[in-house]
Amino acid sequence: MILILIVLSSRVNALRFVIRGQHTSPHLNKRAHVSGLDNGQNLKYYTNITLGGVPFSVSIDTGSSDLWVAGNVSNSKNTGVSTSVEYAIGAISGSVRTAQLTFLNFVVPDQVFIQVQPSSVYPGGQGLIGLGPNVGSNVHSALKGQPKGDTVLDRIFRQDPSTPNILTVLLSRSSDPTVRYPGEITVSDIITGFENITNQPQLTVKTVPSSRSGDQHWQVLLDSNGIIGPDGQPIAVSTKVSSTQNPSRLTAVFDTGFTFNQVPKTVSDAIYSHIPGAKFQNLSATGPIYTLPCDAEVNSTVLFGDKSFPIHPLDMTFSLTNSPGNQTCVGGFQPITTGAARDYDIILGMAFLRNAYLLINYGNYADGARTKTPPYVQLLSITDPAVAHQDFVSTRLGGIDTTGMQRFDATTSASKTDNVTSTFDQRQKLITIIGVVAGSVFLLVVTVGVLL
């Protein structure tokens, strides 16, 4: 678990924009397997489950595959096996147990999970639900690949073969002054009003070599030179994934556990280095990242399947201070470190996923699936650039549009090397967990401020 951290005051919990919703799509399933997501200041998205009748609030994570909770589930059974999940910073470990799980109105009678001892980092009553491929599950591996060790979604799909093998995620933006759509997660269902997601291009999930199957994620190819910079021009890129035939197509992992997008440094240079006042710094808590003035509107677009996905300027930079006239922001496209895996180039986290409705079809990745269809991803753009611009003016500029005076430097002193190192090297799992200590949320260590 990677702690990409900002120390926020304890009032973060009080400011949390909590959204609940129930929507039904008769086109896929007569039952409503939809749940609202709680949004903790754009830092953490979580939903509720029960294990053995005990309620837990769990972060949703498409970048990992295991379910764990902090606290005692008394009405559970011990499998006699223990396991751990190691992350770039920190780890969790505990006994592998089974209990009845209720999740999105699905009931799994004996779901496996890791029971973690509560601590200041992992408070009781909280946890994480991994929504990644079954092959990436440490629990599944610890139980020797037996069906009883399947992940939550694989168990749901297996126990009802008529259930469509899909997951969808819609992330809200708590600071959005105009469009406060509900943040929601669904299994085997589509959110009402977003049915057009099924008409979008099917992006085939790239399969990693069997020798590295534990590193399998929901990863697809971007279009050729598929990141457009603030100047409206494609950013020249070159993949480091040897199996990719077209070197200008990057492999991207979709990970709801990452706050910032992780990209090659040449990409973050192209986006931020020309902005007056931008500085590339190696912060002790976050590693290498750009800092820049918060009144600079930065725009970028990502391309998948010949479709454009504009990124909201409030997701391109994040405010770290709350003092008028003295705001400092960090870039939402953070340089990925040399610890990046060989099977992907970038990680698209919350800063991207707040701009696209995400559908993952598990296809034949689901254990016991009857289909031979490979897994795929579909994306539906939900950001209108014109509306997003007005949101930025309202939120960052006090309603006075001064972006017409914005100028970009023609040259930059930023390093052009991709050889970036930080405390986040040697990633073993691609997820971000938000640590909560004494009511404070940790995302990036600074001393003051509220994230916008």
Side-chain angles (χ1 to χ4, degrees):
M1 245 168 243
I2 300 171
L3 282 161
I4 302 181
L5 292 217
I6 217 178
V7 177
L8 299 180
S9 70
S10 60
R11 70 178 183 271
V12 165
N13 281 347
L15 295 174
R16 189 172 64 215
F17 184 39
V18 179
I19 307 173
R20 296 292 185 189
Q22 289 288 331
H23 296 284
T24 303
S25 174
H27 305 293
L28 288 178
N29 201 301
K30 294 181 180 179
R31 296 165 295 176
H33 299 299
V34 182
S35 175
L37 292 175
D38 287 350
N39 177 354
Q41 285 298 104
N42 295 334
L43 312 181
K44 171 185 178 181
Y45 295 86
Y46 52 96
T47 190
N48 295 327
I49 66 170
T50 61
L51 275 171
V54 181
F56 290 93
S57 177
V58 293
S59 301
I60 63 164
D61 199 321
T62 58
S64 65
S65 304
D66 290 301
L67 169 65
W68 61 264
V69 295
N72 182 43
V73 180
S74 56
N75 191 19
S76 64
K77 297 180 180 179
N78 197 334
T79 65
V81 174
S82 294
T83 192
S84 63
V85 183
E86 296 182 4
Y87 305 103
I89 295 180
I92 62 97
S93 63
S95 61
V96 177
R97 308 181 70 87
T98 65
Q100 178 173 293
L101 167 72
T102 302
F103 172 56
L104 304 182
N105 291 332
F106 288 103
V107 177
V108 181
D110 53 351
Q111 177 62 47
V112 290
F113 66 97
I114 305 172
Q115 182 169 284
V116 175
Q117 183 68 27
S119 66
S120 59
V121 177
Y122 308 124
Q126 298 190 15
L128 181 145
I129 184 167
L131 303 169
N134 205 42
V135 292
S137 168
N138 286 19
V139 169
H140 189 254
S141 177
L143 293 175
K144 310 300 182 185
Q146 299 178 67
K148 68 178 182 180
D150 285 351
T151 62
V152 171
L153 263 62
D154 275 45
R155 288 296 305 279
I156 290 172
F157 298 149
R158 178 186 281 271
Q159 72 181 17
D160 185 357
S162 67
T163 300
N165 293 0
I166 65 169
L167 164 77
T168 83
V169 177
L170 179 70
L171 300 185
S172 63
R173 183 180 300 104
S174 64
S175 57
D176 195 325
T178 55
V179 182
R180 294 202 171 191
Y181 49 79
E184 293 184 308
I185 180 173
T186 79
V187 172
S188 306
D189 215 336
I190 302 292
I191 298 173
T192 299
F194 293 84
E195 291 85 357
N196 195 35
I197 182 74
T198 59
N199 297 321
Q200 303 308 302
Q202 295 181 2
L203 309 172
T204 302
V205 172
K206 292 188 64 178
T207 301
V208 303
S210 58
S211 60
R212 299 195 298 276
S213 60
D215 294 325
Q216 181 68 57
H217 298 279
W218 304 123
Q219 52 206 59
V220 304
L221 288 172
L222 273 76
D223 290 355
S224 180
N225 292 321
I227 302 177
I228 308 301
D231 59 358
Q233 299 301 310
I235 299 173
V237 295
S238 181
T239 183
K240 293 184 178 181
V241 179
S242 60
S243 61
T244 304
Q245 295 183 351
N246 185 341
S248 66
R249 300 190 69 182
L250 300 182
T251 297
V253 171
F254 297 106
D255 193 336
T256 59
F258 259 95
T259 302
F260 304 136
N261 301 314
Q262 305 291 294
V263 299
K265 187 171 181 292
T266 51
V267 173
S268 60
D269 284 344
I271 292 174
Y272 299 112
S273 67
H274 299 282
I275 298 172
K279 297 179 181 179
F280 184 64
Q281 302 183 68
N282 195 340
L283 303 182
S284 60
T286 65
I289 199 166
Y290 269 97
T291 62
L292 64 157
C294 290
D295 59 0
E297 181 180 3
V298 184
N299 291 286
S300 183
T301 298
V302 180
L303 306 177
F304 286 103
D306 293 324
K307 297 284 188 177
S308 296
F309 295 86
I311 309 300
H312 199 296
L314 293 177
D315 292 321
M316 293 299 298
T317 62
F318 294 81
S319 178
L320 303 185
T321 56
N322 201 27
S323 174
N326 189 34
Q327 287 193 330
T328 299
C329 278
V330 294
F333 281 65
Q334 181 180 27
I336 200 165
T337 73
T338 53
R342 67 185 103 177
D343 297 308
Y344 64 89
D345 298 292
I346 68 176
I347 303 167
L348 294 178
M350 304 173 200
F352 171 81
L353 293 170
R354 280 190 289 271
N355 299 276
Y357 181 35
L358 170 71
L359 182 151
I360 299 172
N361 188 308
Y362 283 58
N364 60 10
Y365 271 23
D367 198 8
R370 298 179 180 180
T371 180
K372 295 183 179 180
T373 303
Y376 60 83
V377 169
Q378 290 175 293
L379 297 166
L380 180 65
S381 178
I382 57 176
T383 295
D384 181 323
V387 175
H389 168 71
Q390 292 302 319
D391 290 346
F392 182 86
V393 171
S394 174
T395 302
R396 295 281 181 81
L397 303 179
I400 301 174
D401 191 349
T402 59
T403 58
M405 297 182 290
Q406 184 170 297
R407 297 291 183 269
F408 294 104
D409 292 336
T411 60
T412 176
S413 60
S415 169
K416 292 299 182 181
T417 178
D418 261 354
N419 185 25
V420 179
T421 58
S422 78
T423 57
F424 300 128
D425 280 354
Q426 307 305 320
R427 288 183 173 87
Q428 294 186 14
K429 289 287 181 180
L430 306 179
I431 67 175
T432 300
I433 183 169
I434 308 302
V436 182
V437 181
S440 298
V441 178
F442 288 76
L443 178 68
L444 163 68
V445 174
V446 292
T447 55
V448 294
V450 175
L451 210 64
L452 295 179

